[in-house]
Amino acid sequence: MSRKKQATTYLTSIQKGFPMRTCLLVALLATSSALIAQPQQGPGASRSARLCIGDSPSVLPTTGTQAPTAATISQVEWLSGTWIGTVGSTTVEERWTPPAGGSMISVGRTLRGGSLLSFEFVCIVERRGGLVYTAMPNGHQPATDFTMTRIEGQSVTFENPAHDFPKMIRYMLKPDGTLEATVSGDAAQKPEVFTYKKQ
């Protein structure tokens, strides 16, 4: 299915009055099907539209990427579940699957006053002995990789110094059971901190 047809299907679903959750699932399934169906192009090939690729030699970039700190997906299992944070009329949700196949997948969305502001598809995947966080905000392609640089107990940090914003993403499970997510950029940019409660 072409990207144009995917978008048309998604918009038609909204116009017919399907619930937003159904529309998001349609968009996710259409995007995932398109990514899986793309042919592999050999060593060093572009991963421009691939969301959650692990240690497949035919699609891993060979240069210009930082080696991740050693870790396995089971070390971030504490991230699985549904997390919701609310500030005023804005609600942010992240729904993480349990670890399986060396990966965890999240669908997130931000709502304000009952309206959808944004959504995001994210995957944490085992790659080259460590973990990589791959994000597609609003389904944007190519996906952006953030390499895991630090993991301590129930805190994990991913970084991509070449990205505009954010350059760093950190999740920390706090003693009170809340999840704190911090995103930051250059020194001049104020970090953004989100606090979620597990549902």
Side-chain angles (χ1 to χ4, degrees):
M1 182 183 292
S2 70
R3 292 181 191 171
K4 184 175 180 181
K5 193 167 183 180
Q6 290 172 25
T8 302
T9 301
Y10 177 64
L11 291 174
T12 301
S13 298
I14 294 174
Q15 293 167 354
K16 287 183 177 177
F18 289 128
M20 184 57 66
R21 181 176 294 175
T22 301
C23 296
L24 284 174
L25 288 174
V26 169
L28 177 59
L29 289 172
T31 303
S32 300
S33 299
L35 300 183
I36 292 168
Q38 289 183 359
Q40 297 181 0
Q41 301 173 7
S46 169
R47 297 177 54 255
S48 62
R50 294 181 174 275
L51 174 60
C52 197
I53 301 299
D55 288 322
S56 173
S58 62
V59 294
L60 283 177
T62 57
T63 60
T65 57
Q66 176 183 359
T69 301
T72 63
I73 198 67
S74 63
Q75 290 177 258
V76 292
E77 183 174 9
W78 47 267
L79 192 55
S80 65
T82 297
W83 300 90
I84 299 180
T86 303
V87 178
S89 62
T90 301
T91 300
V92 182
E93 305 175 358
E94 292 192 19
R95 301 170 189 272
W96 286 94
T97 64
S103 68
M104 293 175 67
I105 296 174
S106 167
V107 177
R109 64 182 174 181
T110 301
L111 305 166
R112 180 174 297 158
S115 298
L116 180 69
L117 290 184
S118 63
F119 65 93
E120 185 169 27
F121 306 137
V122 177
C123 179
I124 299 176
V125 64
E126 292 178 351
R127 192 184 300 163
R128 296 191 300 161
L131 300 175
V132 175
Y133 178 105
T134 303
M136 287 176 59
N138 294 314
H140 176 74
Q141 296 183 17
T144 302
D145 286 349
F146 296 82
T147 302
M148 193 202 73
T149 55
R150 187 171 186 174
I151 187 166
E152 292 181 337
Q154 294 177 320
S155 174
V156 61
T157 302
F158 302 91
E159 297 183 68
N160 181 341
H163 194 241
D164 51 3
F165 187 91
K167 295 181 182 295
M168 186 276 292
I169 301 166
R170 176 180 296 126
Y171 287 96
M172 179 185 298
L173 186 61
K174 308 200 80 169
D176 64 1
T178 60
L179 180 68
E180 182 178 274
T182 304
V183 295
S184 61
D186 294 325
Q189 296 172 304
K190 184 179 179 180
E192 298 177 5
V193 180
F194 304 90
T195 301
Y196 303 92
K197 290 184 179 179
K198 195 167 190 177
Q199 303 302 299

